[in-house]
Amino acid sequence: TFSDVNTGKLVSRVTDTSAPVPLTCAQFHPDGLIFGTGTGDAQIKIWDLKEQSNVANFPGHTGQISALAFSENGYYLATAADDCCVKLWDLRKLKNFKTLQLDEGYEVKDLSFDSSGSYLAVAGSDVRVYLCKQWDCLKVMNEHTAMATGIRFGENANYIASTSMDRTLKIYAE
C-alpha cells in the first residue's frame, strides 16, 4: 500500500493473490522503480512499481524473511531469514551467487550495504562487516548485550551505527 505523504491519501494498493502470506520486510531499489519484499513463507518478491506486478521471485531460504538490502548500484540484493544465512542475489541474472553461512542459531535482524558497494553489514546476534566481492568477514563486534536490531554505514563507510534491544546506539569507527 502506498500513500501520499503530504495528504496521507492512499495512492495504490498491490495485493499478491498467489499466496495470502504476511510481508515481513521491504526495501526500495535504488532506481525507485522496483520494490523488494520478504514474506513469512521464505520468499523474496520483486515488484515493478509502475506495472504494479510481481516480476521476480527468489526461493531458497527456509523460514521467515527477516531482512533485505539492495546494493548501491542496484545489481545485488542481500537477504536473510530464520535460517542462519545471508544470501546474495544477482538481479541481472536473477540468481543466488553466494550464501554466507552463519553460526547455528544466528539471527539476522538487519542488512546494509555502504554507499560505495564495498561493504555489507549484518546486525543480529552480533554486528558483522563483510568485504563485498570476496565476501570475507572483516570484523565481528560483540559490544551489544542483546540482539542488534539495526545497522547503517556513515558517510564513506567511515563509521557504522548499530541499534540494539539493549537500548543502546553504538558507533564504530577506526
Side-chain angles (χ1 to χ4, degrees), residues 81-85 101-108 124-126 147:
D82 296 341
D83 57 6
C84 308
C85 70
Q101 191 60 54
L102 304 169
D103 299 332
E104 182 73 28
Y106 192 99
E107 291 183 55
V108 178
S125 299
D126 55 30
M147 186 71 60

Side-chain angles (χ1 to χ4, degrees), residues 44 58 61 65 67-69 77-81 85-89 111:
I44 308 296
F58 297 117
H61 278 292
I65 305 299
L68 56 89
L77 175 65
T79 63
C85 70
V86 174
K87 291 188 176 286
L88 288 305
W89 307 88
L111 299 166

Side-chain angles (χ1 to χ4, degrees), residues 50-71:
K50 190 173 183 180
E51 298 298 320
Q52 298 184 5
S53 63
N54 178 215
V55 294
N57 294 307
F58 297 117
H61 278 292
T62 56
Q64 177 172 293
I65 305 299
S66 58
L68 56 89
F70 290 101
S71 64

Side-chain angles (χ1 to χ4, degrees), residues 21-44:
V21 297
L23 300 178
T24 56
C25 56
Q27 182 76 46
F28 278 102
H29 186 271
D31 71 8
L33 301 176
I34 62 174
F35 191 72
T37 58
T39 70
D41 67 347
Q43 293 292 309
I44 308 296

Side-chain angles (χ1 to χ4, degrees), residues 13-170:
R13 177 178 303 200
V14 179
T15 303
D16 184 2
T17 56
S18 66
V21 297
L23 300 178
T24 56
C25 56
Q27 182 76 46
F28 278 102
H29 186 271
D31 71 8
L33 301 176
I34 62 174
F35 191 72
T37 58
T39 70
D41 67 347
Q43 293 292 309
I44 308 296
K45 295 179 176 276
I46 306 298
W47 301 86
D48 180 312
L49 294 176
K50 190 173 183 180
E51 298 298 320
Q52 298 184 5
S53 63
N54 178 215
V55 294
N57 294 307
F58 297 117
H61 278 292
T62 56
Q64 177 172 293
I65 305 299
S66 58
L68 56 89
F70 290 101
S71 64
E72 91 301 343
N73 62 9
Y75 293 168
Y76 305 113
L77 175 65
T79 63
D82 296 341
D83 57 6
C84 308
C85 70
V86 174
K87 291 188 176 286
L88 288 305
W89 307 88
D90 186 322
L91 295 176
R92 297 164 297 178
K93 297 177 182 174
L94 299 177
K95 70 175 196 168
N96 174 233
F97 69 90
K98 180 74 176 175
T99 298
L100 304 174
Q101 191 60 54
L102 304 169
D103 299 332
E104 182 73 28
Y106 192 99
E107 291 183 55
V108 178
K109 298 297 183 186
D110 198 15
L111 299 166
S112 181
F113 284 96
D114 77 303
S115 62
S116 72
S118 300
Y119 305 103
L120 173 68
V122 177
S125 299
D126 55 30
V127 173
R128 298 178 181 208
V129 178
Y130 289 86
L131 180 63
C132 295
K133 310 286 189 270
Q134 290 84 6
W135 304 108
D136 295 327
C137 184
L138 297 178
K139 188 78 175 162
V140 176
M141 294 156 278
N142 292 300
E143 284 76 12
H144 285 294
T145 59
M147 186 71 60
T149 56
I151 189 81
R152 291 296 178 268
F153 284 94
E155 187 177 8
N156 299 319
N158 288 329
Y159 58 92
I160 301 169
S162 64
T163 58
S164 169
M165 293 299 287
D166 65 11
R167 302 184 322 265
T168 64
L169 164 67
K170 305 248 189 239

